[in-house]
Amino acid sequence: MRCGTIANDTDGRGGWWVTRRQDESLYIVPEHARDLLAGRCPDPFSILGRHNAGKVDIIRAFYPDAAKVRLVVERPRSAPAERAMRQIDDTGLYIGTVPQGARYHFRVTWADAVEEAADPYSFGPVIDEHDLRLFAEGRSFHADAMLGAHPVTLHGVDGVLFAVWAPNALRVSVIGDFNIWDGRRHSMRLRHTAGIWEIFLPGISPGERYKFEIMAKNETLLPQKADPFARFSERPPATASIVTSGVRYAWDDDAWMDTRGARQAPGSSISIYEVHIASWRRPGGDPDRTATWGDLTRELIPYVTQAGFTHIELLPIMEHPFGGSWGYQSLGLFAPSARHGTPAEFAAFMNACHAAGLGVILDWVPAHFPNDVHGLACFDGTALFEHSDPREGIHRDWNTLIYNFGRHEVREFLISSALMWLQHYHVDGLRVDAVASMLYRDYSRQEGDWVPNIHGGRENLEAVSFIRELTDAISREVPDAVIIAEESTAWPGVTRATSEGGLGFSFKWNMGWMHDTLSFIQRDPLWRGHHLSEILFGMHYGFSERFVLSLSHDEVTHGKGSLIARMPGDHWQKHASLRSYLAFMWCHPGKKLLFMGCELAQAHEWNHDGEVDWAATGDPLKAGMQVLVRDLNRTMRLYPALHELDCDPAGFSWLIGDDVSNAVFAWIRFAVSGSPVVIVWNTTPVIRENYWTGLPSGGYWHEILNTDAGIYGGSNVGNGGGVNAQSRPAHGQDWSCELTLPPLAVIVLSSARTEV
């Protein structure tokens, strides 16, 4: 392909441009430029940009649909010089020359505008080779600092560096409003060391929308892809990624960050309020509106603080295309969802939580991802992030794809995401969703629909390796953060250190406790005495892991009904049973988690399109439940025996666990730094008079909490504020007391009263 006409060009303004015959050889176009014009060129930098030809540099540019393109040569001691570039056969390919090494840019005339543009193909490789090697070797746990879209300044020119991992692509381009979404305009450079494509686009600034256009090896053009490492995206259903500023938020939460390690230690008081942001409260009661981070700062933070919780746990806020997934089908693992505001507004929310003394835990989903075409599925024309074999790569339950944990780059992608939330946004912990589905190759699969591991077993060895790598990275880089496993099986050592053969989590949701105890409390009180084992069994393994007792969103959806709806009896008895059950939970070893709405005994099942039934608090029994939850949190925090040895068998002892006829339980909680606490639970609606229970010491025992108190909606049966211990052995103790047990109630006794 050759230039058709060679003509004289004159600047018209003097300077170094003179009327002269151009060397025809300078306008010979490389033969492989045909691939560029066809949109399938794997190496656009070999054609476009600056190419030396002795005393001059040949400049080639590709601007299809431009009216004309002129070279503007920047001269150090005089005004810029300008001359037209020659278009080759109406292809959109333009050629011009500049003195060797001269700085230049383009003036591009479009049908409706004139654009001044630096040449993206005049810049050399940007990403350091050492960083590329680390990524290729699986040692880059901050890959988001390299991949994605980053505003930078190169050689005094402001712009954005785009980089994406797509090792099997034939061609990758950045597309956006800045190039009319034309994939021919900004094809990227492949860095072969790591299969990463990069390009620096001058003049691009934060706020620009963009995607990647990828051509597979077979020259198939794939659906436009969002950036896997995007820090922000359009609000769904739109799917473009958005360039964000590299400016860091001005944090002022040093006081919190300096103390959060102690606040989140196994011996600390932790109670978590689990929230689905969209359905917690609809602004103005409008069902079509979704709360912003500013709304949540004004309303959620004071609500949770007043309720006495120590932490908020947010269902996944990472960008996700389908709201009905509640965030659990995330695609933007580095982007706070645009449904609630900008990344800076999320950072401000985090800062406000810390100022209020609240920690924030995010649900995070490395177990699977949705198959939306703009996402990670078949990203470069191959199964890149996922497995190619559906027996390994598809979750039948959710019709989602499973990450290939055996790939270095996939593990780096996920670990980089986890560390980004913890470090960039000061998030205090991650709750890792669906860990059981990661650990077992046959999880929810029929015989023949799964692939055994290399030893013929069902364990997913690659996933186990990934989890250990993840928890080790977090322990090393953010040691005061917590990482919590939703793991529903008896996999050993979930919270044991990886150096001891464990998975390295800080805590594990106690799913067995939840299932057994809910089964018990849903029974007619007449039959509860025959099922005491459902309460007792949890302590057979209660200290095998560091547990969080969870009554989560999963227990109030999918037809299960609300917690209060599952309680037996009339309206009053339902609320009394739930009050006693929550008190039992708060007085049982383990950290606590309660889903929104449960604190006010919401009658209906959770609906992600609705909101918490705030009007329900007009019912005194529901308002009383709110007050009880507040007082449970306060009591747990004030009395070390109710939290200090949550994860140590020395902190617990049964007193009564065999009273089949009365269906009464009693136990002791101990502390290193405080007095013991005795808890007695009457699970029937019958008042038990003159009921004796053992005590660990003499003196006066204060009734520090009674779920039958009138303030909670109870019948005000109790022990007048406390009882005197008597030197009468009972239940293995040298002391005991005679109690009146309220109906369907828990009473908590302490020999030392702690005031707020």
Side-chain angles (χ1 to χ4, degrees):
M1 185 182 297
R2 303 174 68 88
C3 171
T5 304
I6 304 298
N8 296 338
D9 285 295
T10 305
D11 178 28
R13 291 182 293 181
W16 71 272
W17 293 111
V18 294
T19 302
R20 60 189 176 89
R21 187 81 175 170
Q22 295 294 323
D23 184 348
E24 183 176 355
S25 66
L26 300 179
Y27 292 87
I28 295 175
V29 179
E31 194 63 32
H32 60 288
R34 297 179 186 277
D35 289 335
L36 176 74
L37 303 180
R40 58 174 180 265
C41 179
D43 185 14
F45 283 82
S46 67
I47 302 170
L48 302 176
R50 182 195 300 267
H51 300 272
N52 183 252
K55 293 182 179 181
V56 298
D57 290 335
I58 303 170
I59 308 299
R60 302 191 193 102
F62 187 47
Y63 282 99
D65 302 321
K68 60 182 177 180
V69 180
R70 297 183 68 84
L71 266 173
V72 180
V73 181
E74 303 162 17
R75 298 183 294 182
R77 289 182 296 275
S78 57
E82 181 179 333
R83 72 176 288 188
M85 299 184 74
R86 297 183 181 179
Q87 183 175 187
I88 308 303
D89 299 334
D90 297 321
T91 61
L93 183 64
Y94 291 82
I95 301 178
T97 61
V98 299
Q100 182 181 5
R103 292 173 62 93
Y104 68 93
H105 67 270
F106 302 126
R107 178 170 290 122
V108 185
T109 301
W110 303 97
D112 58 353
V114 176
E115 174 189 3
E116 301 279 341
D119 183 3
Y121 295 97
S122 67
F123 296 87
V126 181
I127 300 175
D128 185 80
E129 278 289 338
H130 175 69
D131 293 334
L132 293 172
R133 283 195 299 274
L134 289 179
F135 181 76
E137 294 167 3
R139 296 188 291 140
S140 179
F141 295 149
H142 295 281
D144 55 309
M146 174 174 61
L147 294 164
H150 298 277
V152 296
T153 302
L154 293 182
H155 309 301
V157 178
D158 294 333
V160 174
L161 173 63
F162 294 92
V164 63
W165 177 56
N168 303 305
L170 175 64
R171 186 261 293 174
V172 180
S173 299
V174 182
I175 54 177
D177 296 324
F178 45 83
N179 59 19
I180 326 174
W181 301 88
D182 185 344
R184 298 172 298 168
R185 288 274 304 278
H186 291 133
S187 296
M188 305 173 78
R189 169 191 280 120
L190 175 61
R191 307 297 302 278
H192 293 272
T193 304
I196 288 173
W197 300 75
E198 66 164 28
I199 192 169
F200 172 70
L201 295 188
I204 306 300
S205 56
E208 291 277 8
R209 302 186 306 152
Y210 71 98
K211 282 187 176 180
F212 295 113
E213 183 177 276
I214 300 176
M215 180 175 283
K217 287 289 189 186
N218 63 4
E219 300 187 9
T220 299
L221 201 61
L222 303 176
Q224 296 175 353
K225 296 290 187 177
D227 181 1
F229 285 85
R231 290 293 183 95
F232 193 43
S233 300
E234 289 185 290
R235 180 169 180 158
T239 57
S241 304
I242 295 178
V243 177
T244 58
S245 171
V247 177
R248 294 245 172 198
Y249 181 78
W251 298 92
D252 60 4
D253 61 348
D254 289 352
W256 169 270
M257 298 296 283
D258 290 344
T259 60
R260 77 172 180 182
R263 293 171 185 259
Q264 301 187 146
S268 61
S269 175
I270 296 178
S271 58
I272 304 165
Y273 186 65
E274 188 188 31
V275 177
H276 176 251
I277 294 175
S279 60
W280 180 71
R281 183 175 304 223
R282 298 285 177 177
D286 185 344
D288 296 323
R289 292 181 61 193
T290 301
T292 66
W293 296 117
D295 295 330
L296 297 166
T297 298
R298 290 185 294 272
E299 298 181 27
L300 177 63
I301 292 176
Y303 179 81
V304 176
T305 303
Q306 291 164 15
F309 290 94
T310 63
H311 288 71
I312 300 170
E313 181 173 320
L314 301 177
L315 271 62
I317 64 164
M318 300 79 193
E319 195 58 84
H320 51 282
F322 176 45
S325 75
W326 316 332
Y328 288 102
Q329 294 189 13
S330 303
L331 274 180
L333 260 63
F334 295 81
S337 177
R339 293 170 174 88
H340 312 298
T342 66
E345 289 166 340
F346 172 63
F349 169 77
M350 286 295 309
N351 199 57
C353 284
H354 291 167
L358 285 174
V360 179
I361 298 166
L362 301 184
D363 279 12
W364 182 69
V365 189
H368 59 112
F369 62 93
N371 56 14
D372 298 67
V373 295
H374 72 280
L376 305 178
C378 197
F379 189 78
D380 64 357
T382 67
L384 189 64
F385 287 87
E386 71 273 32
H387 290 274
S388 58
D389 188 335
R391 295 175 300 167
E392 296 182 279
I394 296 178
H395 264 307
R396 305 297 187 193
D397 290 352
W398 306 307
N399 192 32
T400 53
L401 302 177
I402 301 172
Y403 288 104
N404 184 347
F405 301 114
R407 294 200 71 150
H408 292 324
E409 299 90 345
V410 172
R411 293 200 302 272
E412 290 169 308
F413 168 73
L414 293 169
I415 294 173
S416 295
S417 167
L419 291 174
M420 187 278 296
W421 293 103
L422 297 171
Q423 295 176 321
H424 183 77
Y425 287 114
H426 290 200
V427 168
D428 303 292
L430 300 175
R431 175 267 198 182
V432 182
D433 181 66
V435 171
S437 76
M438 300 167 66
L439 294 175
Y440 299 98
R441 287 176 164 267
D442 63 347
Y443 179 86
S444 195
R445 292 181 183 274
Q446 301 297 318
E447 186 67 31
D449 193 31
W450 59 282
V451 179
N453 63 33
I454 58 173
H455 304 297
R458 59 194 288 256
E459 299 81 8
N460 191 328
L461 303 180
E462 294 83 4
V464 171
S465 174
F466 159 71
I467 289 171
R468 288 173 173 158
E469 200 167 22
L470 167 73
T471 57
D472 280 345
I474 292 173
S475 297
R476 182 175 60 251
E477 297 202 24
V478 201
D480 55 351
V482 294
I483 182 164
I484 303 168
E486 186 210 16
E487 203 288 303
S488 55
T489 74
W491 186 281
V494 172
T495 59
R496 192 182 307 142
T498 59
S499 59
E500 299 172 2
L503 296 182
F505 286 95
S506 310
F507 298 99
K508 169 184 171 174
W509 274 19
N510 194 335
M511 312 293 281
W513 175 92
M514 177 270 297
H515 286 297
D516 290 345
T517 60
L518 275 177
S519 175
F520 176 86
I521 200 64
Q522 289 171 185
R523 297 184 185 279
D524 188 312
L526 181 64
W527 307 111
R528 286 175 179 167
H530 300 287
H531 298 275
L532 302 184
S533 62
E534 292 176 329
I535 296 297
L536 299 173
F537 183 67
M539 292 315 301
H540 286 286
Y541 62 86
F543 302 105
S544 61
E545 304 277 5
R546 294 186 294 272
F547 282 119
V548 173
L549 309 183
S550 60
L551 293 175
S552 74
H553 62 280
D554 281 329
E555 308 320 311
V556 291
T557 189
H558 295 315
K560 296 176 183 175
S562 65
L563 291 183
I564 194 69
R566 289 147 77 176
M567 300 298 113
D570 60 26
H571 188 66
W572 187 90
Q573 290 176 330
K574 285 177 179 288
H575 286 80
S577 276
L578 183 55
R579 288 195 303 269
S580 72
Y581 180 62
L582 293 179
F584 158 67
M585 174 181 175
W586 255 253
C587 295
H588 190 285
K591 309 310 175 186
K592 318 296 186 265
L593 178 141
L594 189 67
F595 185 57
M596 64 182 198
C598 296
E599 79 279 9
L600 50 81
Q602 179 169 290
H604 59 74
E605 183 176 89
W606 170 50
N607 174 13
H608 69 268
D609 288 325
E611 69 173 354
V612 171
D613 186 9
W614 300 108
T617 53
D619 180 341
L621 291 177
K622 298 190 183 299
M625 196 74 69
Q626 273 187 309
V627 176
L628 173 66
V629 170
R630 178 202 67 189
D631 287 354
L632 287 172
N633 280 326
R634 180 181 300 163
T635 302
M636 183 177 69
R637 183 176 67 251
L638 292 176
Y639 290 86
L642 292 177
H643 63 262
E644 196 173 71
L645 296 176
D646 267 339
C647 306
D648 188 332
F652 179 90
S653 178
W654 283 115
L655 288 171
I656 301 170
D658 58 357
D659 189 349
V660 174
S661 59
N662 293 306
V664 169
F665 298 94
W667 63 96
I668 310 174
R669 297 291 306 276
F670 297 97
V672 174
S673 60
S675 302
V677 167
V678 171
I679 302 98
V680 186
W681 182 16
N682 178 11
T683 69
T684 72
V686 179
I687 299 173
R688 306 293 181 186
E689 304 277 2
N690 311 120
Y691 193 92
W692 286 87
T693 186
L695 294 172
S697 64
Y700 186 77
W701 283 73
H702 303 271
E703 192 175 72
I704 60 174
L705 189 136
N706 179 346
T707 65
D708 194 50
I711 192 175
Y712 308 137
S715 58
N716 260 334
V717 173
N719 297 276
V723 292
N724 284 301
Q726 299 185 34
S727 183
R728 172 178 167 176
H731 308 122
Q733 307 298 314
D734 293 333
W735 300 82
S736 62
C737 65
E738 187 178 16
L739 296 169
T740 297
L741 303 185
L744 298 170
V746 166
I747 61 173
V748 184
L749 305 171
S750 174
S751 60
R753 188 169 187 87
T754 302
E755 301 297 338
V756 179

